[in-house]
Each structure stands twice: as structure tokens, then as C-alpha cells.
């Protein structure tokens, strides 16, 4: 619910459990008064503290009033050059190079439903209200529209900013953040999700220290290294206690999430497109839209924050027809064959998979151009008939005859120097004229800011997708951006390229999904290098990591699932020893660790032992039965191997609280004198549940407050699935 008090210029956003408030003061500066647990009082601006802080500039209108400085007051969208020295949200200026933004409140408007952002991903659906607040910089005429989407039921507040040049001169934008959150306290921890290739989204937590800290990417993708999702929380916040603020950016390119603990012990979080190499020219009348950010405040710890993001992503971000649909069990040929395959080998793998009950065969890299190694042919999206006579149609038909769907890998954003496309159009690749561009995996990045480049790629893709019954696409992206220059942007406008590239990717995926609305799209970037909320608007699932070793996967999936629903995480059983770290683990445990995600296999089925093959029908049966509980229920972290060095446990409880599934992995054996005691969570205290493991029946209260005892297991990398059904 949005409540406007126009007399006092107080604007309040209420969700079911939280309240967010701002106030335009006597100088029409928009101040932030409160974000936290729901409060029914009207005006909370008594919380804004005025004091003479010394050495902090006072705006002209404040006259001799020394207790009024933008440097010390909580801002709703921080400015620059006018006395607030903390992190700015916006920076722009005229062509002469001066930079100053002094934003003052003009008016606001309540709009039913949810705003949308042209060309950018955004939350959507029913149950939203929008608040639009207009601020203006008096001297340049630049107008900033702050957009707030309120989803009361899911406790989600979204934000975006639209900047319009209403003045008469050209303006150059060098920073336009999506979110600014000023909190009048700094005794907080910052949680970020960091790592690298094959070790994505490892959780990192540290208290705020004085000054600026944060994460970001300047790679042109959201990156393996840092995720556009951060949490600020009480020092002692845990799963079910402590205030937590979660902030996520719906953006798949370079981003910045920075927090400043100021001299006055308050904290400012800004989040948005990374200002590095960012410029945007705004002629009079032109607008720029900063991508959407989403905020959740949980007064009761991390788990409720996770549940709110999971619900909102499942119900308001992922699009139909996949939103609530069960994802097919897939078999992907990559780790089985890499480039070494022909139609017969592929059909053999598919046949084997179909016989075991798998539902989707995915043909990975190596089917197009003359690609038998990874150093050529990207950009030439036509089938290699030497390898696949009869083309994709023959293969897809054969796969369909087996009762399976057919899916295909593509990497449309790239071009290899050794390709017909590059030979015909060398200017289609990002590069600085006169300087040989950097290669990575022997490939270059296409200049997707150019419509003719997007059209050329899309025409090829459309032909491929129309040539056979292709029902799934794995859209890969295997290198970061370098040499970020376009032949078609002039001078300073080259600074628009990083963002125009991302808009180009979004436009291509949008086009593909408009033409092929039933296609199941899975995004991927060398594993999980672009696992972000922006991508989830287009693809309901994302490849989590190229690392399929169970021990490392536990950590990667735990970090990922803090905000991203289990239904979005591609998780496959791979061959052992693991291709990434050489570890061997039991087939059964590999199945257990993948089970909560979008389940599949990525190995040569023809090389499995009889015992391993015999386990597959049971694994598929578990996915069919309990996948809906993992994907649609409430997820709980029970124990983290990263913390205890011994075992890992997660559980999911169905919405009606009749079924709970517990995924327990005994990673590393230790001599212990007692059984592992796991207090369960999320059950109905009054209901009685039977354990699939022992047949015992106890009340929900018993399982939760007493706990579940797991006798010690002998050996490493073992595990079990335990189901509790209400009786
Ligand atoms: C990337 C992906 C892999 C696979 C290869 C193919 O590394 O993450 O899953 O598709 O590309 O080249």
C-alpha cells in the first residue's frame, strides 16, 4: 500500500511486513526517513537528525543554518557537487565538463499496477502499485523520475530511475544508479557472493568498516567474480533472527554495489550500472532509464528474506509458460563427447537416456560451421552436415521418436576470427580501430549495439530454430568484454557501448522468445558467469557452474539459493573423476546434490556401470515426486559444510506443509561421539509427520524443536534423501 501525505510531502510504502518512507523537506530535498519492520505511524521524519557537524557545507537557502547539510542527511537519491561527499547516485553535467546534480522535489503520483521499463527486465504481474516521484535539477533542467514498485504481499519494493533532459542544452551523464539506500546506522555486516570460474557465488560476510566497500564487475557481464546481489544485516543476524536488507539488481552487465560507512556512522548503499567507462549523451528531450533494483527487508533473519526473493522471482519475474512448470530432466552431451561426435553417437546417448526416463536431449557445442575445436566458427550458425547429415531436423526427429524433446546450444554473442562471419564483416566485432583486439577462448565479442549485427545473428538463429523441432536453447557466453569500441558510435558516445551491448543481448533474447514463445531458454556464461536476476526475466533457469563436483557444488548452490529459487539452478550429475577438480564421489551422492535444482545428466551414459545405471530410475522418480516441493516450496538451510566441515543439509517444505524433503550430504567423516542432530524447520508444529528413513511418526514441533537424529555414516561423500509426509 502506498500512502501519500501531500500536505507534509511524506510518502510511505507499506508491504505486509515492512515500511519504507521518504519526505520532501522545506527546501524540497527528498530525504529518506525509514526502511524497516512495518510501522503504522504517519510521519517518521523525526528520525532524521539535524546537527551542526562542522566542515559540512550548507545549501544556500539554508542561510546561516549550520545544522542543515546534504553531507549529513539521509538522501533518497544522492546527488553530487552540492555538499554530499558520500557515494553519489547520479553525476552529469553540460558539455563543458563541470559535474553537478542538485535534485529537488517537484511532484509525485500514485499509479495502479507495476511500471515497466522499455528494453529492460523488470518484475511484473498482479498485486503491484507504483509511486512515481519527480525530482529536478534547477540549473540544467534534468529531471529524475524515481519509480517505486510495491508488491505488498511479497514484501518486495522495486526501484528504477528515468532521467530526462528537460533543459535546452546537451547533457552528459556519467553515473545513474538504480538504487540508493541511506540507513541511519552502520553497525551492519555486508554479505556478498564472490568467486570465479568454477567457484561462483561463495558467500562472504564482513562487518562494515569506515569508508567505501563493495563489489562490482567491469567485465560487461554480471560475472563469476561477484553477483549483483548484496545483503546488509545485523552483526548477529542468522537464519531466523536479525534485521536483513537484501538488494538485487536486474542487470546482466557491468555493475557496482557499493556501501559507504560514513564519518557519522551511517551507511549508504548504491547499486546500478558501473560508472567505469559509462557515459550517456542526453540531447534535450531525451531520456535514459537505469535498470531495476529490488529490495527486501526482513526483520527476522535471512530465511524470510530468501523466501521473499524466491517467491517474487518465481511469481513475478519468471515468465509464462515456464513460471510454475516442472522442468524436464535433461541429458547433455558436452562432458560425454565435447566436439567428438556424429549423429549416431548422439542418438545412442539419447536412446540410452530415453530408456532410463530422461525427457530432453541437449546437443551442446560443436554442431555448426566446421567446429571440431573451440577456436573457430562462432558466428556461422548453420549445421555442419559432415558431422550431422540430414541436419538438425534428422537429429531432432530421431530424438523426438524416442519420446524426448530436443534442445540446442548456441553462443550468439560471439564471433571467431576463423569464421565466415568475421571474414565478411570484421567490423562486427568490438575493437579499437588500429589495435588488434584481445582474444579469449580464441573468440571476439560481437558489437550487439548495432542493429545490423543483431539482425544478422538473429536471422541465422531464427532459421536454425525453425529448421527442426527445437524446444530448448542453452544460450552460452564464454568470454568477458575487452576492446569496447564500436565502429558506429562517435567520440564520447563510445561510453554508451557497455550498456548498449546489454540492451542488445536483452533485445535478441526478447525477439527469440516472441517468435518461439514455448522455447525453454537456459542462460549460461562459462558456467554461472551471468547468473543474475536480469537473465531470469528471459530464462527461467541458468547453468549454475561448470563445476559439477559435489563438494564444491554444495557451496556454489548454497550461495546461489540465498536469493535465487532452486527452480532456477541448472544442476547435473557428471562423470567422475570430476573434470574440474579430479575428485571422485559416489553416483548416488551426485544425484542427491543435483536433485533440488533443474535436474539433469551431463556424462556418457554408455560408460556407466550397471550399478550406476540402476540408480537412475530412482533418481528420476525422486525428481518427479519431490522436484515440485524443492521448486515450489519453502527452502531452508539446515547445515552448511562450509561452516561445520563435516555435513550439509537443506530442506524444502511444500506450501500446504504436508511434505518436507531433506537433502543430507555427509561430506567428510569425523570421529564423533554422538549422532548428528538436525533441528528441522518450516513444518506445521501441530501436524504429525512420518519419516521415510525410519518410519517414526512425530509432531512437527518434535521434528523442529527436538530434531532429527542421523546416525553417523562411515565414509566420505555419502548422503541421503529423507522425506517427511504428514499423516
Ligand atoms: C561453456 C559452458 C559449458 C559448455 C561449453 C561448450 O564452458 O559452460 O557447459 O557448453 O561452454 O563450449
Amino acid at each position: 500500500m502506498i500512502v501519500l501525505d501531500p500536505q507534509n510531502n511524506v510518502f510511505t510504502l507499506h508491504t505486509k511486513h515492512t515500511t519504507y518512507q521518504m519526505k520532501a523537506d522545506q527546501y524540497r530535498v527528498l530525504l529518506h526517513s525509514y526502511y524497516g519492520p512495518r510501522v503504522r505511524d504517519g510521519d517518521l521524519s523525526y528520525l532524521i537528525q539535524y546537527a551542526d557537524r562542522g566542515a559540512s557545507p550548507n545549501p544556500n537557502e539554508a542561510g546561516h543554518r549550520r545544522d542543515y547539510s546534504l553531507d549529513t542527511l539521509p538522501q533518497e537519491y544522492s546527488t553530487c557537487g552540492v555538499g554530499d561527499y558520500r557515494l553519489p547516485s547520479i553525476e552529469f553535467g553540460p558539455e563543458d565538463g563541470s559535474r553537478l546534480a542538485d535534485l529537488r522535489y517537484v511532484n509525485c503520483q500514485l499509479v495502479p499496477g507495476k511500471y515497466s521499463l522499455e528494453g529492460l527486465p523488470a518484475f511484473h504481474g498482479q498485486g503491484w502499485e507504483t509511486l512515481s516521484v519527480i525530482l529536478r535539477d534547477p540549473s540544467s533542467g534534468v529531471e529524475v523520475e524515481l519509480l517505486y514498485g510495491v508488491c505488498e504481499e511479497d514484501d518486495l519494493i522495486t526501484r528504477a530511475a528515468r532521467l530526462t533532459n528537460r533543459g535546452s542544452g546537451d547533457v552528459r551523464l556519467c553515473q545513474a544508479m538504480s538504487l540508493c539506500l541511506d540507513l541511519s546506522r552502520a553497525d551492519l555486516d555486508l554479505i556478498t557472493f564472490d568467486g570465479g570460474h568454477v567457484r561462483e557465488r561463495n558467500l562472504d560476510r564482513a562487518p562494515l568498516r569506515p569508508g567505501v566497500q563493495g563489489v562490482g564487475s567491469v567485465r560487461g557481464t554480471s560475472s563469476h567474480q561477484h553477483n549483483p546481489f548484496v545483503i546488509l544485516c545485523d552483526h548477529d543476524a542468522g537464519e531466523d533472527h536479525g534485521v536483513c536488507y537484501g538488494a538485487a539488481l536486474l542487470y546482466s552487465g557491468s555493475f557496482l554495489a557499493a556501501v559507504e560507512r560514513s564519518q557519522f556512522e551511517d551507511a549508504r548503499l548504491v547499486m546500478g550500472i558501473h560508472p567505469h567507462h559509462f557515459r550517456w549523451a542526453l540531447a534535450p528531450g531525451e531520456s535514459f532509464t537505469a535498470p531495476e533494483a529490488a529490495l527486501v527487508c526482513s526483520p527476522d533473519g535471512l530465511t524470510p528474506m530468501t523466501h521473499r526473493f524466491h517467491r517474487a522471482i518465481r511469481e513475478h519475474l519468471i515468465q509464462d509458460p515456464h513460471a510454475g512448470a516442472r522442468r524436464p530432466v535433461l541429458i547433455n552431451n558436452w562432458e560425454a563427447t565435447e566436439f567428438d561426435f556424429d549423429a549416431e553417437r548422439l542418438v545412442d546417448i539419447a536412446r540410452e537416456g530415453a530408456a532410463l526416463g530422461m525427457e530432453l536431449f541437449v546437443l551442446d557445442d560443436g554442431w555448426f560451421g566446421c567446429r571440431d575445436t573451440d577456436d573457430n566458427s562462432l558466428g556461422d550458425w548453420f549445421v555442419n552436415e559432415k558431422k550431422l547429415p540430414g541436419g538438425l531436423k534428422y537429429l531432432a526427429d530421431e530424438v523426438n521418436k524416442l519420446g524426448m524433446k530436443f534442445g540446442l546450444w548456441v553462443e550468439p554473442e560471439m564471433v571467431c576470427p576463423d569464421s565466415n562471419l568475421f571474414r565478411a564483416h570484421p567490423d562486427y566485432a568490438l575493437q579499437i580501430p588500429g589495435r588488434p583486439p584481445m582474444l579469449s577462448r580464441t573468440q571476439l565479442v560481437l558489437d550487439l549495439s548495432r542493429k545490423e549485427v543483431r539482425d544478422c545473428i538473429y536471422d541465422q538463429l531464427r532459421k536454425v530454430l525453425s529448421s527442426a523441432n527445437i524446444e530448448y536453447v542453452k544460450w552460452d557466453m564464454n568470454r568477458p568484454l575487452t576492446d569496447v569500441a564500436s565502429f558506429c558510435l562517435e567520440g564520447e558516445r563510445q561510453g554508451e557501448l557497455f550498456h548498449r551491448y546489454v540492451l542488445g543481448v536483452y533485445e535478441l533474447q526478447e525477439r527469440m522468445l516472441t517468435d518461439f514463445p514455448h522455447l525453454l531458454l537456459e542462460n549460461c556464461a562459462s558456467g554461472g558467469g551471468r547468473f543474475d536476476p536480469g537473465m531470469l526475466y528471459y530464462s527461467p533457469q541458468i547453468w549454475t557452474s561448470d563445476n559439477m563436483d559435489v563438494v564444491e557444488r554444495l557451496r556454489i548452490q548454497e550461495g546461489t539459493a540465498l536469493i535465487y529459487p532452486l527452480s532456477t539452478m541448472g544442476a547435473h550429475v557428471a562423470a567422475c573423476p570430476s573434470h574440474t577438480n579430479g575428485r571422485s564421489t559416489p553416483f548416488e551422492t551426485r544425484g542427491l546434490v543435483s536433485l533440488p535444482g533443474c535436474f539433469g545428466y551431463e556424462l556418457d551414459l554408455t560408460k556407466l556401470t550397471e550399478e550406476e545405471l540402476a540408480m537412475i530410475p530412482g533418481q528420476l522418480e525422486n525428481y518427479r515426486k519431490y522436484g515440485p516441493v524443492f521448486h515450489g516450496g519453502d527452502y531452508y538451510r539446515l547445515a552448511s559444510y562450509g561452516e561445520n566441515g563435516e555435513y550439509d543439509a537443506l530442506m524444502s517444505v511444500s506450501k500446504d506443509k504436508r511434505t518436507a524433503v531433506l537433502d543430507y550430504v555427509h561430506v567428510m567423516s569425523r570421529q564423533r561421539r554422538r549422532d548428528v542432530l538436525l533441528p528441522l524447520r518450516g513444518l506445521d508444529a501441530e501436524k504429525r509427520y512420518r519419516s521415510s528413513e525410519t518410519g517414526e511418526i512425530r509432531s512437527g514441533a518434535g521434528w523442529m524443536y527436538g530434531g532429527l537424529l542421523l546416525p553417523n555414516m562411515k565414509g566420505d561423500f555419502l548422503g541421503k534423501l529423507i522425506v517427511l509426509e504428514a499423516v
Side-chain angles (χ1 to χ4, degrees):
M1 184 175 48
I2 298 176
V3 182
L4 304 184
D5 170 0
Q7 229 157 24
N8 298 304
N9 281 334
V10 172
F11 319 123
T12 312
L13 318 176
H14 289 297
T15 68
K16 205 166 166 185
H17 300 98
T18 66
T19 294
Y20 183 110
Q21 195 180 86
M22 66 200 96
K23 177 188 172 89
D25 71 6
Q26 69 269 43
Y27 308 119
R28 303 187 87 76
V29 171
L30 190 62
L31 299 177
H32 178 80
S33 12
Y34 178 79
Y35 186 30
R38 185 158 174 159
V39 175
R40 284 178 203 284
D41 310 46
D43 188 349
L44 299 164
S45 59
Y46 74 94
L47 292 168
I48 299 169
Q49 296 180 43
Y50 299 85
D52 182 353
R53 308 282 193 185
S56 286
N58 318 113
N60 229 276
E61 315 88 297
H64 297 294
R65 215 185 134 182
R66 290 195 193 169
D67 66 349
Y68 190 96
S69 172
L70 300 187
D71 200 24
T72 64
L73 295 169
Q75 308 288 319
E76 189 54 32
Y77 195 67
S78 54
T79 51
C80 75
V82 288
D84 183 350
Y85 296 101
R86 293 165 292 172
L87 289 164
S89 304
I90 186 167
E91 212 183 317
F92 60 80
E95 294 290 324
D96 68 12
S98 60
R99 297 283 173 260
L100 187 145
D102 185 13
L103 299 176
R104 302 299 170 108
Y105 171 74
V106 178
N107 58 40
C108 75
Q109 199 191 351
L110 204 161
V111 189
K114 170 79 201 317
Y115 63 83
S116 56
L117 305 172
E118 210 193 323
L120 285 164
F123 282 92
H124 51 84
Q126 305 300 315
W128 292 86
E129 281 180 299
T130 294
L131 173 67
S132 152
V133 182
I134 305 287
L135 309 175
R136 187 169 297 166
D137 174 47
S139 54
S140 68
V142 168
E143 181 183 285
V144 177
E145 181 184 20
L146 297 180
L147 288 159
Y148 298 82
V150 178
C151 183
E152 183 159 358
E153 195 51 37
D154 288 335
D155 283 307
L156 191 78
I157 293 177
T158 64
R159 294 190 50 176
R162 204 176 272 140
L163 287 76
T164 306
N165 181 358
R166 302 252 182 245
S168 52
D170 288 347
V171 164
R172 187 154 295 148
L173 202 56
C174 18
Q175 178 158 345
M177 303 311 270
S178 301
L179 162 85
C180 170
L181 179 66
D182 271 6
L183 299 170
S184 304
R185 52 179 291 210
D187 53 338
L188 295 161
D189 279 3
L190 172 65
I191 301 180
T192 55
F193 299 85
D194 314 309
H197 178 231
V198 296
R199 50 188 175 88
E200 298 89 337
R201 289 171 299 286
N202 286 201
L203 186 152
D204 184 75
R205 179 170 180 166
L208 288 185
R209 53 182 301 282
V212 176
Q213 53 239 269
V215 292
S217 161
V218 292
R219 293 165 189 268
T221 58
S222 47
S223 87
H224 300 89
Q225 288 70 19
H226 302 290
N227 201 259
F229 166 48
V230 298
I231 301 169
L232 285 168
C233 60
D234 286 350
H235 291 314
D236 66 349
E239 290 298 332
D240 53 11
H241 61 276
V243 176
C244 304
Y245 299 94
L249 185 69
L250 281 72
Y251 193 58
S252 312
S254 299
F255 76 94
L256 176 69
V259 187
E260 181 166 358
R261 179 174 145 194
S262 82
Q263 55 180 331
F264 305 117
E265 291 304 316
D266 44 40
R268 168 173 296 168
L269 165 68
V270 295
M271 210 170 181
I273 295 177
H274 204 297
H276 166 78
H277 206 291
F278 174 78
R279 292 281 183 281
W280 203 275
L282 281 183
E286 285 183 350
S287 294
F288 176 83
T289 304
E292 181 164 279
L295 278 170
V296 164
C297 169
S298 159
D300 329 297
L302 292 163
T303 300
M305 186 207 69
T306 295
H307 289 174
R308 285 166 196 162
F309 273 116
H310 281 196
R311 232 179 5 241
I313 290 174
R314 287 192 305 230
E315 288 164 24
H316 295 291
L317 186 59
I318 289 170
Q319 309 202 54
D320 284 334
H322 305 293
R326 190 177 72 76
R327 308 294 158 64
V329 178
L330 68 80
I331 167 80
N332 173 306
N333 73 306
W334 177 245
E335 293 221 352
T337 67
E338 298 213 342
F339 298 101
D340 182 19
F341 59 79
D342 55 19
E344 208 179 320
R345 177 118 194 256
L346 298 176
V347 175
D348 279 350
I349 296 177
R351 186 177 301 110
E352 195 80 26
L356 291 160
M358 295 172 199
E359 298 156 318
L360 164 68
F361 172 79
V362 179
L363 170 55
D364 211 281
D365 198 352
W367 57 268
F368 53 93
C370 37
R371 188 146 160 115
D372 288 325
T373 47
D374 69 3
D375 57 1
N376 65 82
S377 297
L378 293 172
D380 296 345
W381 299 107
F382 50 85
V383 73
N384 179 346
E385 293 253 0
K386 271 199 210 129
K387 256 172 154 171
L388 299 173
L392 294 173
K393 168 121 183 66
Y394 167 78
L395 192 61
D397 286 351
E398 288 303 299
V399 169
N400 288 165
K401 276 187 222 156
L402 296 167
M404 287 176 115
K405 295 178 178 194
F406 178 73
L408 193 66
W409 178 97
V410 290
E411 194 178 354
E413 299 163 57
M414 300 291 153
V415 65
C416 287
D418 181 6
S419 66
N420 296 347
L421 181 68
F422 188 76
R423 281 183 283 273
H425 300 284
D427 61 304
Y428 276 16
L430 294 179
Q431 64 200 281
I432 294 165
R435 207 198 117 94
M438 317 262 166
L439 291 172
S440 174
R441 215 193 188 206
T442 337
Q443 61 198 55
L444 299 170
V445 185
L446 285 169
D447 179 1
L448 295 183
S449 72
R450 288 169 64 179
K451 183 164 183 314
E452 65 272 32
V453 179
R454 298 198 300 274
D455 287 350
C456 160
I457 291 298
Y458 186 67
D459 286 350
Q460 296 189 61
L461 274 187
R462 190 171 35 76
K463 276 190 202 124
V464 168
L465 295 178
S466 313
S467 73
N469 186 21
I470 298 170
E471 298 181 73
Y472 160 105
V473 161
K474 175 177 172 188
W475 180 301
D476 209 340
M477 196 287 186
N478 277 316
R479 63 154 290 179
L481 276 54
T482 57
D483 307 274
V484 182
S486 167
F487 281 93
C488 292
L489 289 171
E490 283 180 8
E492 278 269 314
R493 293 207 94 132
Q494 296 287 358
E496 301 180 4
L497 191 47
F498 265 107
H499 181 56
R500 286 191 184 277
Y501 178 85
V502 179
L503 295 178
V505 175
Y506 289 156
E507 195 259 353
L508 271 178
Q509 298 205 349
E510 184 81 55
R511 254 204 256 184
M512 189 174 77
L513 293 170
T514 307
D515 288 350
F516 302 93
H518 296 290
L519 200 70
L520 173 58
L521 179 62
E522 175 158 340
N523 268 291
C524 168
S526 303
R530 215 163 46 181
F531 203 124
D532 60 60
M535 282 284 131
L536 286 175
Y537 176 78
Y538 303 93
S539 64
Q541 59 194 59
I542 301 179
W543 183 224
T544 311
S545 175
D546 279 344
N547 194 337
M548 288 178 268
D549 163 60
V550 298
V551 182
E552 305 230 50
R553 263 285 174 146
L554 286 173
R555 191 190 286 257
I556 294 169
Q557 292 182 180
E558 182 188 339
T560 307
L562 228 117
I563 165 179
Y564 303 105
L566 303 176
S567 63
T568 64
M569 297 193 308
H572 301 167
V573 176
C576 272
S578 158
H579 286 200
T580 42
N581 63 11
R583 186 170 7 239
S584 288
T585 52
F587 192 79
E588 190 180 357
T589 314
R590 281 176 264 158
L592 264 182
V593 172
S594 302
L595 186 67
C598 294
F599 190 65
Y601 295 82
E602 191 155 338
L603 39 69
D604 191 344
L605 293 168
T606 59
K607 295 205 173 119
L608 293 185
T609 64
E610 285 302 317
E611 292 87 59
E612 288 172 337
L613 282 173
M615 285 178 206
I616 291 180
Q619 292 177 333
L620 297 190
E621 174 70 7
N622 281 339
Y623 181 66
R624 280 190 194 108
K625 266 182 126 162
Y626 306 119
V629 182
F630 284 122
H631 291 188
D634 287 332
Y635 156 78
Y636 294 87
R637 291 171 286 274
L638 297 186
S640 166
Y641 167 67
E643 281 166 19
N644 64 38
E646 190 178 356
Y647 57 91
D648 209 276
L650 63 87
M651 69 183 281
S652 238
V653 183
S654 64
K655 285 278 169 224
D656 62 7
K657 292 193 183 282
R658 295 200 61 80
T659 310
V661 230
L662 169 75
D663 211 38
Y664 175 76
V665 184
H666 171 90
V667 184
M668 206 44 83
S669 263
R670 285 234 195 114
Q671 280 308 327
R672 51 164 44 242
R673 299 202 175 87
R674 291 177 182 277
D675 293 351
V676 171
L677 176 65
L678 276 182
L680 305 188
R681 301 178 63 209
L683 300 173
D684 179 339
E686 300 304 321
K687 283 195 168 71
R688 296 183 67 74
Y689 297 86
R690 176 185 287 115
S691 155
S692 63
E693 174 77 356
T694 58
E696 285 166 280
I697 297 177
R698 299 195 190 293
S699 67
W703 291 119
M704 290 192 292
Y705 314 135
L708 173 98
L709 281 175
L710 283 152
N712 195 20
M713 298 172 97
K714 284 213 162 95
D716 299 333
F717 317 127
L718 306 173
K720 51 179 76 167
L721 183 75
I722 299 174
V723 182
L724 296 181
E725 293 278 8
V727 292

